[in-house]
Amino acid sequence: MSDEEVVDAPVVEEEVEMSVLDALKEVLKKALMHDGLKKGLHECAKALDKQSARLCCLAKDCENEEYKKLIRALSNEGKVSLIMVDSGKELGAWCGLAKLDADGEIKKPVRCSCAVITEFGEESRALNVLLDYLKKQADEADE
């Protein structure tokens, strides 16, 4: 046997900065798994009206101005944070509405102009990143 001791070097995990959209994507998937995600105008309006919503996402490319106005008004009334997403097809894919091929790539995206989270599910790093971002946004709005 050898007299040398083998010491394992501690593994250093680099914390990669998570963007807000990546965090939102992960939080939406977790909410979907925990049955806390509402999609579409009818479900979202009901959740916002009942004030059971905790976070609302609205697509910037939504063409119907009344739709946007209604969601914004219900969000403001219930003091629910609103996040604007660039594309409805992107939001639909994040909400699990897209058809996927065998490799897991999006084959047929389905558009979703609005999504509401009523239950975040389990706490994760992505949720903390998202909540920190929303808190900063609220602080900036108060100033």
Side-chain angles (χ1 to χ4, degrees):
M1 293 218 153
S2 154
D3 291 334
E4 295 176 29
E5 288 184 29
V6 177
V7 179
D8 289 332
V11 178
V12 178
E13 288 185 30
E14 292 183 29
E15 289 231 4
V16 179
E17 275 298 312
M18 184 179 276
S19 75
V20 175
L21 289 180
D22 289 339
L24 178 63
K25 187 177 179 178
E26 196 172 310
V27 168
L28 284 169
K29 285 184 181 178
K30 288 226 192 294
L32 180 64
M33 287 190 294
H34 290 276
D35 200 30
L37 184 64
K38 307 296 181 200
K39 306 167 288 262
L41 179 63
H42 189 199
E43 288 183 18
C44 291
K46 283 187 354 186
L48 288 165
D49 196 34
K50 286 183 189 174
Q51 296 188 351
S52 63
R54 302 183 62 192
L55 175 67
C56 182
C57 302
L58 182 63
K60 288 179 186 175
D61 66 349
C62 178
E63 294 146 7
N64 193 338
E65 286 303 316
E66 289 90 24
Y67 189 112
K68 288 181 178 179
K69 215 183 251 188
L70 174 67
I71 296 299
R72 283 191 182 118
L74 288 172
S75 294
N76 288 339
E77 182 183 314
K79 295 178 180 52
V80 176
S81 300
L82 181 69
I83 293 183
M84 298 299 285
V85 179
D86 292 330
S87 165
K89 287 186 178 184
E90 212 172 59
L91 183 59
W94 295 348
C95 291
L97 295 175
K99 300 273 185 192
L100 303 176
D101 63 9
D103 300 329
E105 297 295 316
I106 297 172
K107 184 170 77 171
K108 184 178 178 185
V110 177
R111 214 173 138 169
C112 177
S113 292
C114 182
V116 167
I117 296 175
T118 56
E119 183 60 48
F120 287 120
E122 58 202 46
E123 193 167 322
S124 65
R125 188 171 142 242
L127 179 59
N128 292 333
V129 168
L130 191 61
L131 292 176
D132 287 345
Y133 170 76
L134 294 173
K135 187 177 180 191
K136 286 178 189 171
Q137 292 295 323
D139 290 344
E140 288 175 10
D142 288 343
E143 291 177 1

Coordinates of all heavy atoms in Angstrom, one line a residue, residues 43-119:
E43 N -60.0 31.3 -17.7 CA -59.4 30.7 -16.4 C -58.6 31.8 -15.7 O -58.7 31.9 -14.5 CB -58.4 29.6 -16.7 CG -59.1 28.3 -17.1 CD -58.2 27.2 -17.3 OE1 -57.0 27.2 -16.9 OE2 -58.5 26.2 -18.0
C44 N -57.9 32.7 -16.4 CA -57.1 33.7 -15.8 C -58.0 34.8 -15.2 O -57.7 35.2 -14.1 CB -56.1 34.4 -16.8 SG -54.8 33.3 -17.3
A45 N -59.0 35.2 -15.9 CA -59.9 36.2 -15.4 C -60.6 35.7 -14.1 O -60.8 36.4 -13.2 CB -61.0 36.6 -16.4
K46 N -61.0 34.4 -14.1 CA -61.6 33.8 -12.9 C -60.7 33.8 -11.7 O -61.0 34.2 -10.6 CB -62.1 32.4 -13.2 CG -63.4 32.4 -13.9 CD -64.1 31.0 -14.1 CE -63.4 29.8 -13.7 NZ -64.1 28.6 -14.0
A47 N -59.4 33.4 -12.0 CA -58.4 33.4 -10.9 C -58.1 34.8 -10.4 O -58.0 35.0 -9.2 CB -57.1 32.7 -11.4
L48 N -58.0 35.8 -11.3 CA -57.7 37.1 -10.9 C -58.9 37.7 -10.1 O -58.7 38.5 -9.2 CB -57.3 38.0 -12.1 CG -56.0 37.7 -12.7 CD1 -55.9 38.4 -14.1 CD2 -54.9 38.2 -11.8
D49 N -60.1 37.4 -10.6 CA -61.3 37.9 -9.9 C -61.5 37.4 -8.5 O -61.9 38.1 -7.6 CB -62.5 37.6 -10.8 CG -63.7 38.5 -10.4 OD1 -63.5 39.6 -10.0 OD2 -64.9 38.0 -10.5
K50 N -61.2 36.1 -8.4 CA -61.2 35.5 -7.0 C -60.1 35.9 -6.1 O -60.1 35.6 -4.9 CB -61.2 33.9 -7.2 CG -62.4 33.3 -7.7 CD -62.1 31.8 -7.7 CE -63.2 31.0 -8.4 NZ -62.9 29.6 -8.5
Q51 N -59.1 36.6 -6.7 CA -57.9 37.0 -6.0 C -57.1 35.9 -5.4 O -56.5 35.9 -4.4 CB -58.2 38.1 -4.9 CG -58.8 39.3 -5.5 CD -59.0 40.4 -4.5 OE1 -58.8 40.3 -3.3 NE2 -59.3 41.6 -5.0
S52 N -57.1 34.7 -6.2 CA -56.3 33.6 -5.8 C -55.0 33.6 -6.6 O -54.2 32.7 -6.4 CB -57.1 32.3 -6.1 OG -57.4 32.1 -7.4
A53 N -54.9 34.5 -7.5 CA -53.7 34.6 -8.4 C -52.5 35.2 -7.6 O -52.7 36.1 -6.8 CB -54.0 35.5 -9.6
R54 N -51.3 34.7 -7.9 CA -50.1 35.2 -7.2 C -49.2 35.8 -8.2 O -48.4 36.7 -7.8 CB -49.4 34.0 -6.5 CG -50.4 33.4 -5.5 CD -49.8 32.3 -4.6 NE -48.7 32.8 -3.8 CZ -48.0 31.9 -3.2 NH1 -48.2 30.6 -3.2 NH2 -47.0 32.3 -2.4
L55 N -49.3 35.5 -9.5 CA -48.5 36.1 -10.5 C -49.2 35.9 -11.8 O -49.8 34.9 -12.1 CB -47.1 35.3 -10.6 CG -46.2 35.7 -11.7 CD1 -45.7 37.1 -11.5 CD2 -45.0 34.8 -11.7
C56 N -49.1 37.0 -12.7 CA -49.8 36.9 -14.0 C -48.8 37.2 -15.1 O -47.9 38.1 -14.9 CB -50.9 38.0 -14.0 SG -51.8 38.0 -15.5
C57 N -48.9 36.5 -16.2 CA -48.0 36.7 -17.4 C -48.9 37.0 -18.5 O -49.9 36.4 -18.8 CB -47.2 35.4 -17.7 SG -46.2 34.8 -16.4
L58 N -48.5 38.1 -19.3 CA -49.2 38.5 -20.4 C -48.3 38.7 -21.6 O -47.2 39.2 -21.5 CB -49.9 39.9 -20.1 CG -50.8 40.5 -21.1 CD1 -52.0 39.7 -21.4 CD2 -51.2 41.9 -20.7
A59 N -48.7 38.2 -22.8 CA -47.9 38.3 -24.0 C -48.0 39.7 -24.6 O -49.1 40.3 -24.7 CB -48.4 37.2 -25.0
K60 N -46.8 40.2 -25.0 CA -46.8 41.6 -25.6 C -47.4 41.6 -26.9 O -47.9 42.6 -27.4 CB -45.3 42.0 -25.7 CG -44.7 42.4 -24.3 CD -43.2 42.8 -24.5 CE -42.6 43.1 -23.2 NZ -41.1 43.4 -23.4
D61 N -47.3 40.4 -27.6 CA -47.8 40.4 -29.0 C -49.3 40.1 -29.1 O -49.8 39.8 -30.2 CB -47.0 39.4 -29.9 CG -47.1 38.0 -29.4 OD1 -47.7 37.7 -28.4 OD2 -46.6 37.1 -30.2
C62 N -50.0 40.2 -28.0 CA -51.5 39.9 -28.0 C -52.1 41.1 -28.8 O -51.8 42.3 -28.6 CB -52.0 39.9 -26.6 SG -53.8 39.7 -26.5
E63 N -52.9 40.8 -29.8 CA -53.5 41.8 -30.7 C -54.7 42.5 -30.2 O -55.0 43.6 -30.6 CB -53.8 41.1 -32.1 CG -52.5 40.7 -32.8 CD -52.7 39.4 -33.6 OE1 -53.9 39.0 -33.8 OE2 -51.7 38.9 -34.1
N64 N -55.4 41.8 -29.3 CA -56.7 42.3 -28.8 C -56.4 43.3 -27.6 O -56.0 42.9 -26.5 CB -57.6 41.2 -28.4 CG -59.0 41.6 -28.1 OD1 -59.3 42.7 -27.9 ND2 -59.9 40.6 -28.2
E65 N -56.6 44.6 -27.8 CA -56.4 45.6 -26.8 C -57.3 45.4 -25.6 O -56.9 45.7 -24.4 CB -56.5 47.0 -27.4 CG -55.3 47.4 -28.2 CD -53.9 47.3 -27.6 OE1 -53.8 47.7 -26.4 OE2 -53.0 46.8 -28.2
E66 N -58.6 45.0 -25.8 CA -59.5 44.9 -24.7 C -59.0 43.7 -23.8 O -59.2 43.8 -22.6 CB -60.9 44.6 -25.2 CG -61.6 45.7 -25.9 CD -61.3 45.8 -27.4 OE1 -61.0 44.7 -28.0 OE2 -61.4 46.9 -27.9
Y67 N -58.5 42.7 -24.4 CA -57.9 41.6 -23.6 C -56.8 42.0 -22.7 O -56.8 41.8 -21.5 CB -57.4 40.6 -24.7 CG -56.9 39.2 -24.2 CD1 -57.6 38.1 -24.6 CD2 -55.8 39.1 -23.4 CE1 -57.2 36.8 -24.2 CE2 -55.4 37.8 -23.0 CZ -56.1 36.7 -23.4 OH -55.7 35.5 -23.0
K68 N -55.9 42.8 -23.2 CA -54.8 43.3 -22.4 C -55.3 44.2 -21.3 O -54.8 44.2 -20.2 CB -53.8 44.1 -23.3 CG -53.0 43.3 -24.2 CD -52.1 44.3 -25.0 CE -51.1 43.6 -25.9 NZ -50.3 44.6 -26.7
K69 N -56.2 45.1 -21.7 CA -56.8 46.1 -20.7 C -57.4 45.3 -19.6 O -57.3 45.7 -18.4 CB -57.8 47.0 -21.4 CG -57.8 48.4 -20.9 CD -58.9 49.1 -21.7 CE -58.2 50.1 -22.6 NZ -59.2 51.0 -23.2
L70 N -58.2 44.3 -19.9 CA -58.9 43.5 -18.8 C -57.9 42.8 -17.9 O -58.1 42.9 -16.7 CB -59.8 42.5 -19.5 CG -60.5 41.5 -18.5 CD1 -61.5 42.2 -17.6 CD2 -61.2 40.3 -19.3
I71 N -56.9 42.2 -18.4 CA -55.9 41.5 -17.6 C -55.2 42.5 -16.7 O -55.0 42.2 -15.6 CB -55.0 40.6 -18.5 CG1 -55.8 39.5 -19.2 CG2 -53.9 40.0 -17.6 CD1 -56.5 38.5 -18.3
R72 N -54.8 43.6 -17.3 CA -54.0 44.6 -16.5 C -54.9 45.2 -15.4 O -54.4 45.3 -14.3 CB -53.6 45.8 -17.4 CG -52.4 45.4 -18.3 CD -51.8 46.7 -19.0 NE -50.7 46.3 -19.8 CZ -50.7 46.5 -21.1 NH1 -51.7 47.0 -21.7 NH2 -49.6 46.1 -21.8
A73 N -56.2 45.4 -15.7 CA -57.1 46.0 -14.7 C -57.3 45.0 -13.6 O -57.3 45.4 -12.4 CB -58.4 46.4 -15.4
L74 N -57.6 43.7 -13.9 CA -57.8 42.7 -12.9 C -56.5 42.5 -12.0 O -56.6 42.3 -10.8 CB -58.2 41.4 -13.5 CG -59.7 41.4 -14.0 CD1 -59.9 40.1 -14.8 CD2 -60.7 41.5 -12.9
S75 N -55.3 42.6 -12.7 CA -54.1 42.4 -12.0 C -53.9 43.6 -11.0 O -53.5 43.4 -9.8 CB -52.9 42.4 -12.9 OG -53.0 41.2 -13.7
N76 N -54.2 44.8 -11.5 CA -54.0 46.0 -10.6 C -55.0 45.9 -9.4 O -54.7 46.3 -8.3 CB -54.2 47.3 -11.4 CG -53.0 47.6 -12.3 OD1 -52.0 47.0 -12.1 ND2 -53.3 48.3 -13.3
E77 N -56.2 45.5 -9.7 CA -57.3 45.5 -8.7 C -56.9 44.5 -7.6 O -57.1 44.8 -6.4 CB -58.6 45.0 -9.3 CG -59.7 44.9 -8.3 CD -61.0 44.4 -9.0 OE1 -61.3 44.9 -10.1 OE2 -61.6 43.5 -8.4
G78 N -56.3 43.3 -7.9 CA -55.9 42.3 -6.9 C -54.5 42.5 -6.5 O -54.0 41.6 -5.7
K79 N -53.8 43.5 -6.9 CA -52.4 43.8 -6.6 C -51.5 42.6 -6.9 O -50.7 42.1 -6.1 CB -52.3 44.2 -5.1 CG -52.9 45.5 -4.8 CD -52.9 45.9 -3.4 CE -53.5 47.2 -3.0 NZ -54.8 47.4 -3.5
V80 N -51.8 42.0 -8.1 CA -51.0 40.8 -8.5 C -49.9 41.4 -9.5 O -50.2 42.2 -10.3 CB -51.9 39.9 -9.3 CG1 -51.1 38.7 -9.9 CG2 -53.0 39.4 -8.4
S81 N -48.7 40.9 -9.3 CA -47.6 41.3 -10.2 C -47.8 40.8 -11.6 O -48.3 39.6 -11.8 CB -46.3 40.7 -9.7 OG -46.0 41.1 -8.4
L82 N -47.5 41.6 -12.6 CA -47.7 41.3 -14.0 C -46.4 41.3 -14.7 O -45.6 42.2 -14.6 CB -48.7 42.3 -14.6 CG -49.0 42.2 -16.1 CD1 -49.9 40.9 -16.3 CD2 -49.7 43.4 -16.6
I83 N -46.1 40.2 -15.4 CA -44.9 40.1 -16.2 C -45.2 40.0 -17.6 O -46.1 39.2 -18.0 CB -44.1 38.8 -15.8 CG1 -43.5 39.0 -14.4 CG2 -42.9 38.6 -16.8 CD1 -42.7 37.8 -13.9
M84 N -44.6 40.9 -18.4 CA -44.9 40.9 -19.9 C -43.9 39.9 -20.6 O -42.7 40.0 -20.3 CB -44.7 42.3 -20.4 CG -45.7 43.3 -19.9 SD -47.4 42.9 -20.2 CE -47.6 43.3 -21.9
V85 N -44.4 39.0 -21.4 CA -43.5 38.1 -22.1 C -43.6 38.5 -23.6 O -44.6 38.9 -24.1 CB -44.1 36.6 -21.9 CG1 -43.3 35.6 -22.7 CG2 -44.1 36.3 -20.5
D86 N -42.5 38.3 -24.3 CA -42.3 38.8 -25.7 C -43.3 38.1 -26.6 O -44.0 38.8 -27.4 CB -40.9 38.6 -26.2 CG -39.9 39.5 -25.5 OD1 -40.3 40.6 -25.1 OD2 -38.8 39.1 -25.4
S87 N -43.5 36.8 -26.5 CA -44.3 36.1 -27.5 C -45.3 35.2 -26.9 O -45.0 34.5 -25.9 CB -43.3 35.2 -28.4 OG -44.0 34.3 -29.1
G88 N -46.5 35.1 -27.4 CA -47.5 34.2 -27.0 C -47.2 32.8 -27.2 O -47.6 31.9 -26.4
K89 N -46.5 32.5 -28.3 CA -46.1 31.1 -28.6 C -45.1 30.6 -27.6 O -45.1 29.5 -27.2 CB -45.5 31.0 -30.0 CG -46.6 31.1 -31.1 CD -46.1 30.9 -32.5 CE -47.3 30.9 -33.4 NZ -46.9 30.6 -34.8
E90 N -44.2 31.5 -27.2 CA -43.2 31.2 -26.2 C -43.9 30.9 -24.8 O -43.6 29.9 -24.2 CB -42.3 32.5 -26.0 CG -40.9 32.2 -25.6 CD -40.0 33.4 -25.7 OE1 -40.4 34.4 -25.0 OE2 -39.1 33.4 -26.4
L91 N -44.8 31.8 -24.5 CA -45.6 31.6 -23.2 C -46.4 30.3 -23.3 O -46.4 29.5 -22.3 CB -46.5 32.8 -23.0 CG -47.3 32.7 -21.7 CD1 -46.4 32.7 -20.5 CD2 -48.3 33.9 -21.6
G92 N -47.0 30.0 -24.4 CA -47.7 28.7 -24.6 C -46.8 27.5 -24.4 O -47.2 26.5 -23.8
A93 N -45.6 27.6 -25.0 CA -44.6 26.5 -24.8 C -44.2 26.3 -23.4 O -44.1 25.2 -22.9 CB -43.4 26.7 -25.7
W94 N -44.0 27.4 -22.6 CA -43.6 27.3 -21.2 C -44.8 26.8 -20.4 O -44.5 26.2 -19.3 CB -43.3 28.7 -20.7 CG -42.0 29.3 -21.3 CD1 -41.1 28.6 -22.1 CD2 -41.6 30.6 -21.3 NE1 -40.1 29.5 -22.5 CE2 -40.4 30.7 -22.0 CE3 -42.1 31.8 -20.6 CZ2 -39.7 31.9 -22.1 CZ3 -41.4 32.9 -20.7 CH2 -40.2 33.0 -21.5
C95 N -46.0 27.0 -20.8 CA -47.2 26.5 -20.1 C -47.5 25.0 -20.4 O -48.5 24.5 -19.9 CB -48.4 27.4 -20.3 SG -48.2 29.0 -19.6
G96 N -46.8 24.4 -21.3 CA -47.0 23.0 -21.6 C -48.0 22.8 -22.7 O -48.6 21.7 -22.9
L97 N -48.3 23.9 -23.5 CA -49.3 23.7 -24.6 C -48.8 23.3 -25.9 O -49.5 23.0 -26.8 CB -50.0 25.1 -24.8 CG -50.9 25.6 -23.6 CD1 -51.4 27.0 -23.9 CD2 -52.0 24.6 -23.3
A98 N -47.4 23.3 -26.1 CA -46.8 23.0 -27.4 C -46.7 21.5 -27.6 O -46.5 20.7 -26.6 CB -45.5 23.6 -27.5
K99 N -46.8 21.0 -28.8 CA -46.5 19.6 -29.1 C -45.0 19.5 -29.3 O -44.3 20.3 -29.9 CB -47.1 19.3 -30.5 CG -48.6 19.4 -30.5 CD -49.3 18.1 -30.0 CE -50.8 18.3 -30.2 NZ -51.5 17.3 -29.5
L100 N -44.4 18.4 -28.7 CA -43.0 18.2 -28.8 C -42.7 16.9 -29.6 O -43.5 16.0 -29.7 CB -42.5 17.9 -27.3 CG -42.7 19.0 -26.3 CD1 -42.2 18.6 -25.0 CD2 -42.1 20.3 -26.7
D101 N -41.5 16.9 -30.3 CA -41.1 15.8 -31.0 C -40.3 14.8 -30.1 O -40.3 15.0 -28.9 CB -40.3 16.2 -32.3 CG -39.0 16.9 -31.9 OD1 -38.6 16.9 -30.7 OD2 -38.3 17.4 -32.8
A102 N -39.8 13.8 -30.7 CA -39.1 12.7 -29.9 C -37.9 13.3 -29.1 O -37.5 12.8 -28.1 CB -38.7 11.6 -30.8
D103 N -37.2 14.3 -29.7 CA -36.1 14.9 -29.0 C -36.4 15.9 -28.0 O -35.5 16.4 -27.3 CB -35.2 15.5 -30.1 CG -34.7 14.6 -31.1 OD1 -34.5 13.4 -30.8 OD2 -34.5 15.0 -32.3
G104 N -37.7 16.2 -27.8 CA -38.1 17.2 -26.8 C -38.1 18.6 -27.4 O -38.3 19.6 -26.7
E105 N -37.9 18.7 -28.7 CA -37.9 20.1 -29.3 C -39.4 20.4 -29.7 O -40.2 19.5 -30.0 CB -37.1 20.0 -30.6 CG -35.6 19.8 -30.4 CD -34.9 20.9 -29.6 OE1 -35.2 22.1 -29.9 OE2 -34.1 20.5 -28.7
I106 N -39.7 21.7 -29.7 CA -41.0 22.2 -30.0 C -41.3 21.9 -31.5 O -40.6 22.4 -32.3 CB -41.2 23.6 -29.6 CG1 -41.0 23.8 -28.1 CG2 -42.6 24.1 -30.0 CD1 -40.9 25.2 -27.6
K107 N -42.4 21.1 -31.7 CA -42.8 20.9 -33.1 C -43.9 21.8 -33.5 O -43.9 22.3 -34.6 CB -43.2 19.4 -33.2 CG -43.5 18.9 -34.6 CD -43.7 17.4 -34.6 CE -45.0 17.0 -34.1 NZ -45.3 15.6 -34.3
K108 N -44.9 21.9 -32.6 CA -46.1 22.7 -33.0 C -46.4 23.6 -31.8 O -47.1 23.2 -30.9 CB -47.2 21.8 -33.3 CG -48.5 22.5 -33.8 CD -49.5 21.6 -34.2 CE -50.8 22.3 -34.6 NZ -51.9 21.4 -34.8
P109 N -45.9 24.9 -31.8 CA -46.2 25.8 -30.7 C -47.7 26.2 -30.7 O -48.3 26.5 -31.8 CB -45.3 27.0 -30.9 CG -45.0 26.9 -32.3 CD -45.1 25.5 -32.8
V110 N -48.3 26.3 -29.5 CA -49.7 26.8 -29.4 C -49.6 28.1 -28.6 O -48.9 28.2 -27.6 CB -50.5 25.8 -28.6 CG1 -51.9 26.3 -28.4 CG2 -50.6 24.5 -29.4
R111 N -50.3 29.1 -29.1 CA -50.2 30.4 -28.5 C -51.1 30.5 -27.3 O -52.1 30.0 -27.2 CB -50.8 31.4 -29.6 CG -50.1 32.7 -29.5 CD -50.6 33.5 -30.7 NE -50.8 34.8 -30.1 CZ -51.1 35.9 -30.8 NH1 -51.2 35.8 -32.1 NH2 -51.2 37.0 -30.2
C112 N -50.5 31.3 -26.3 CA -51.2 31.5 -25.1 C -50.9 33.0 -24.7 O -49.8 33.4 -24.5 CB -50.7 30.6 -24.0 SG -51.4 30.9 -22.4
S113 N -52.0 33.8 -24.7 CA -51.7 35.3 -24.4 C -51.7 35.6 -22.9 O -51.1 36.6 -22.6 CB -52.8 36.1 -25.1 OG -52.7 36.0 -26.5
C114 N -52.2 34.7 -22.1 CA -52.2 35.0 -20.7 C -52.1 33.7 -19.9 O -52.7 32.7 -20.2 CB -53.5 35.7 -20.3 SG -53.6 36.2 -18.6
A115 N -51.3 33.8 -18.8 CA -51.2 32.7 -17.8 C -51.1 33.3 -16.4 O -50.5 34.3 -16.2 CB -50.0 31.8 -18.1
V116 N -51.8 32.6 -15.5 CA -51.8 33.0 -14.1 C -51.3 31.9 -13.2 O -51.7 30.7 -13.4 CB -53.2 33.5 -13.7 CG1 -53.3 33.6 -12.2 CG2 -53.5 34.8 -14.4
I117 N -50.4 32.2 -12.3 CA -50.0 31.2 -11.3 C -50.8 31.4 -10.0 O -50.7 32.5 -9.4 CB -48.5 31.3 -11.0 CG1 -47.7 31.0 -12.3 CG2 -48.1 30.3 -9.9 CD1 -46.2 31.2 -12.1
T118 N -51.5 30.3 -9.6 CA -52.2 30.4 -8.3 C -51.5 29.7 -7.2 O -51.6 30.0 -6.0 CB -53.6 29.8 -8.5 OG1 -53.5 28.4 -8.9 CG2 -54.5 30.6 -9.4
E119 N -50.6 28.7 -7.6 CA -49.8 28.0 -6.6 C -48.4 27.7 -7.2 O -48.3 27.1 -8.3 CB -50.5 26.6 -6.3 CG -49.8 25.8 -5.3 CD -49.7 26.5 -3.9 OE1 -50.7 27.0 -3.4 OE2 -48.6 26.5 -3.4

